[in-house]
Amino acid sequence: MGTETPIIIDIEASGFAAKGYPIEVGVALEDGTTFCSLITPAPDWTNWDVEAEKVHRVARDILEVYGRSVHEVAVTLNQILRGKTAYSDGWEVDKPWLTELFWKAGIPQQFWFSTIDMIMTPAQMRKWHDTKDEIIREMDGNRHRASLDAILIQKTYMMSRE
C-alpha cells in the first residue's frame, strides 16, 4: 500500500441480526473528501432494532424524511468508487449490508470491498485499538455515524503506520 491513503466505507444498519438492512453509508476518500447518505428503507425492509438505534441514533422516521433511495445511493457509490477498492474494519457485518443495498437497487456493484486487515501490517494490527482510542479522544465525538466512523478508521490506519 505504500504511503497511499485507503478509501474507507462504513455502514450503519437497522439491526445487528441477519434481518438488518443498511440505513446509512459513509465513505472517506483518499483525498480527504467524504460522502455520506441516509438510506430510505425499501418497502420490505421492516425490521427495526431499538438497541441498534441507541448506537447509531437515527430514528426510522428520519430515514423516511432525509434518506435517499436505495437506487440513488448505490448509483452514487458506483460513481465515486468505480474500479477502486474500499476497505472496512467491520467487513464481516458491512459486506452483507452492502450486498443487500446493491441487490435491492438492482444494479451491480462496480468497486471492490475488502477488510482493512488485508492491507495492515502486523505492527499496525498490534497498535490498532490503542491508536483508534486515542483518535476518538482527539475527535471528542460520541456520534456513531457512518461518515465519522469512516474518517476515524482512515485516520487510525494512517496513524498506526507511523
Side-chain angles (χ1 to χ4, degrees):
M1 198 73 201
T3 58
E4 294 177 23
T5 303
I7 298 169
I8 305 296
I9 191 167
D10 187 71
I11 300 170
E12 300 299 329
S14 66
F16 305 118
K19 292 183 180 179
Y21 50 85
I23 64 162
E24 182 181 38
V25 62
V27 179
L29 296 163
E30 62 268 70
D31 64 1
T33 60
T34 59
F35 166 76
C36 190
S37 180
L38 293 172
I39 303 166
T40 302
D44 61 336
W45 287 355
T46 57
N47 183 56
W48 191 260
D49 183 336
V50 293
E51 292 304 312
E53 183 178 336
K54 289 177 186 175
V55 174
H56 56 63
R57 300 182 187 162
V58 178
R60 186 175 167 94
D61 60 335
I62 295 295
L63 301 175
E64 301 290 345
V65 175
Y66 297 104
R68 294 181 186 155
S69 74
V70 170
H71 187 266
E72 181 182 352
V73 174
V75 166
T76 303
L77 287 172
N78 275 343
Q79 287 172 342
I80 63 175
L81 298 174
R82 183 172 285 117
K84 299 178 181 181
T85 301
Y87 297 93
S88 168
D89 73 341
W91 184 86
E92 60 283 345
V93 291
D94 287 346
K95 176 64 174 162
W97 295 326
L98 188 65
T99 300
E100 174 70 13
L101 177 76
F102 278 90
W103 181 83
K104 188 58 73 175
I107 60 173
Q109 180 181 312
Q110 297 175 343
F111 58 93
W112 291 273
F113 185 53
S114 181
T115 176
I116 198 162
D117 295 355
M118 296 299 289
I119 59 171
M120 288 173 53
T121 66
Q124 277 180 290
M125 289 181 185
R126 284 191 296 275
K127 58 184 175 178
W128 182 265
H129 294 290
D130 290 339
T131 304
K132 190 174 182 181
D133 290 344
E134 181 182 332
I135 294 169
I136 289 170
R137 283 191 297 276
E138 288 173 6
M139 290 174 77
D140 194 34
N142 57 5
R143 288 182 52 184
H144 185 73
R145 299 295 300 273
S147 60
L148 290 177
D149 286 353
I151 292 166
L152 169 64
I153 296 160
Q154 190 180 63
K155 284 183 176 184
T156 301
Y157 177 85
M158 299 304 288
M159 201 168 166
S160 67
R161 287 189 331 179
E162 297 171 1

